[in-house]
Amino acid sequence: MKFPILFAIFLISQGIKISNSFTINCDYRTNSLLVIGSVYLCETTNIPTSSGITVTNVTGTHLDGKNNNDVTCVGILGNWTLSFVPRNFSNFFPNIKAILIVYTTIETLFGDEFDEFPQLEYFAFYYSNLTTISSKLFEKTPKMVCVFFGYNMIERVGHDLFTPLNVTQLQRIYFDNNRCINRYVENGNTTAIISLINELREKCPFDDEFPSTTTTTSLTTTTNENLFCTNKSIEDFVCDLKDSMIEVQENLMTKDEKIEELEKKLLELQVQIQIKDQKIENIESRMQWLEEEMLRLTTHPCACK
Ligand SMILES: *[C@@H]1O[C@H](CO)[C@@H](O)[C@H](O)[C@H]1NC(C)=O
Ligand SMILES: *[C@@H]1O[C@H](CO)[C@@H](O)[C@H](O)[C@H]1NC(C)=O
Ligand SMILES: *[C@@H]1O[C@H](CO)[C@@H](O)[C@H](O)[C@H]1NC(C)=O
Ligand SMILES: *[C@@H]1O[C@H](CO)[C@@H](O)[C@H](O)[C@H]1NC(C)=O
Ligand SMILES: *[C@@H]1O[C@H](CO)[C@@H](O)[C@H](O)[C@H]1NC(C)=O
Ligand SMILES: *[C@@H]1O[C@H](CO)[C@@H](O)[C@H](O)[C@H]1NC(C)=O
Ligand SMILES: *[C@@H]1O[C@H](CO)[C@@H](O)[C@H](O)[C@H]1NC(C)=O
């Protein structure tokens, strides 16, 4: 199938959505977290590898006497395939105060991903491909006390990431082992936390409101809706489009090869022409010699009459 490319680009810019929803399978257990203490945790590894962003059901066996309302922590082990933050967990677990997300390929946190958890105090997002964090991330979660962003690839941190939070309440902040910063504070020392926040602003500058024109940062100007597809038919359309573009690309590549081949032949021909030219020159000089000889013979006193 071939598509007019301009039309497709128009569609993409209109925001394509995929609507694959999914069921999360929980391992329920209790655990104890730094600073906030005991939590009842849903830990999950059955994250889909593509598309879906909306959790439409949760399964798994609760510990005795527990139910969804007792769940205070969600732990997601992304297995290096998860590229988006699942939404609507709070429809099943309304009392979440801690979130742990590890081993994902998520690169950007746009800011509204955790708005559905206003009671959030503990946010751990480590061992992932994160490069960019929006200033808006904690706008709807003012109770934050622990923030872990260690072992990512962070390059840009929104200037106002910590502005909505009360720095005297913050206990632990980890930005160790990242690209633009390698530092953490773990004793609730407010002076040290303020200094870390200032270091972030200096070394990982990112002003969400004035994104630069590079492709990576301009991503943050698009809304989340543009990043997730909720319409399978449009996704199929784009897949087909991609296929036909690959086809065109391959076609161009074979054309390139053909041109190369022709150029080689041309070169060969040029060499042959040169050889022929030399031969002609050679013959011409012999002809001239013959002519001179003939002239000499016909004008010689003993010439044949
Ligand atoms: C959701 O999961 C529960 C088990 O936790 C199951 O009983 C229920 O049928 C599921 N609902 C849907 C719509 O799949
Ligand atoms: C994690 O990914 C690996 C390879 O990508 C796969 O073999 C393994 O089954 C996955 N584990 C889970 C729990 O999905
Ligand atoms: C996610 O939750 C919100 C709020 O409850 C709801 O409006 C929305 O329809 C849900 N999305 C899906 C796909 O279920
Ligand atoms: C994500 O990070 C892992 C581990 O550092 C790395 O192997 C992988 O190539 C990264 N993926 C992307 C898409 O950058
Ligand atoms: C910030 O937290 C401290 C310690 O909990 C509290 O005393 C102070 O009133 C809070 N400030 C604001 C503006 O909420
Ligand atoms: C708090 O951090 C500041 C700056 O890092 C340091 O000078 C100070 O000694 C620390 N205070 C305590 C009680 O650790
Ligand atoms: C998906 O997109 C197609 C093409 O724009 C449209 O006809 C269809 O109604 C959409 N389906 C949904 C569920 O939005």
Side-chain angles (χ1 to χ4, degrees), residues 216-276:
T216 25
T217 53
S218 70
L219 260 182
T220 60
T221 62
T222 61
T223 66
N224 279 326
E225 286 192 330
N226 286 345
L227 290 172
F228 304 111
C229 196
T230 56
N231 186 326
K232 190 80 174 70
S233 74
I234 297 184
E235 194 195 7
D236 289 346
F237 174 89
V238 173
C239 285
D240 281 343
L241 176 76
K242 192 179 158 204
D243 285 348
S244 57
M245 282 172 91
I246 287 172
E247 212 175 284
V248 169
Q249 204 178 20
E250 278 168 1
N251 213 334
L252 281 176
M253 264 153 61
T254 57
K255 289 255 156 67
D256 255 7
E257 276 163 19
K258 272 196 187 140
I259 286 175
E260 214 171 286
E261 207 175 290
L262 284 176
E263 273 176 347
K264 225 187 261 172
K265 274 194 184 148
L266 193 64
L267 198 69
E268 258 168 46
L269 281 176
Q270 277 172 344
V271 170
Q272 278 178 12
I273 287 173
Q274 264 178 18
I275 293 173
K276 293 250 158 69

Side-chain angles (χ1 to χ4, degrees), residues 70-138:
D70 296 311
V71 176
T72 50
C73 178
V74 170
I76 298 173
L77 305 173
N79 200 22
W80 292 111
T81 52
L82 183 67
S83 60
F84 53 86
V85 176
R87 307 300 181 95
N88 279 16
F89 261 115
S90 60
N91 288 0
F92 303 92
F93 306 134
N95 298 313
I96 296 299
K97 59 177 183 177
I99 290 179
L100 292 85
I101 298 180
V102 289
Y103 308 130
T104 76
T105 56
I106 296 168
E107 292 177 10
T108 302
L109 290 175
F110 294 92
D112 65 352
E113 287 90 340
F114 304 99
D115 288 359
E116 59 183 286
F117 307 107
Q119 303 301 317
L120 204 61
E121 295 173 25
Y122 183 108
F123 183 74
F125 191 109
Y126 47 97
Y127 294 110
S128 286
N129 298 68
L130 192 62
T131 63
T132 308
I133 306 170
S134 159
S135 279
K136 296 188 167 58
L137 193 66
F138 300 137

Side-chain angles (χ1 to χ4, degrees), residues 23-25 28 56-62 68 92:
T23 296
I24 290 286
N25 187 23
Y28 292 108
T56 46
N57 203 3
V58 296
T59 58
T61 311
H62 277 291
N68 283 0
F92 303 92

Side-chain angles (χ1 to χ4, degrees), residues 111-175:
D112 65 352
E113 287 90 340
F114 304 99
D115 288 359
E116 59 183 286
F117 307 107
Q119 303 301 317
L120 204 61
E121 295 173 25
Y122 183 108
F123 183 74
F125 191 109
Y126 47 97
Y127 294 110
S128 286
N129 298 68
L130 192 62
T131 63
T132 308
I133 306 170
S134 159
S135 279
K136 296 188 167 58
L137 193 66
F138 300 137
E139 238 172 36
K140 305 276 165 57
T141 56
K143 296 184 175 174
M144 208 65 72
V145 293
C146 292
V147 175
F148 299 79
F149 278 117
Y151 294 90
N152 278 289
M153 301 172 177
I154 294 172
E155 292 168 354
R156 291 172 288 272
V157 177
H159 182 272
D160 289 317
L161 179 64
F162 289 99
T163 307
L165 306 182
N166 181 341
V167 283
T168 60
Q169 267 172 28
L170 288 170
Q171 295 303 310
R172 288 167 190 254
I173 300 194
Y174 286 74
F175 277 92

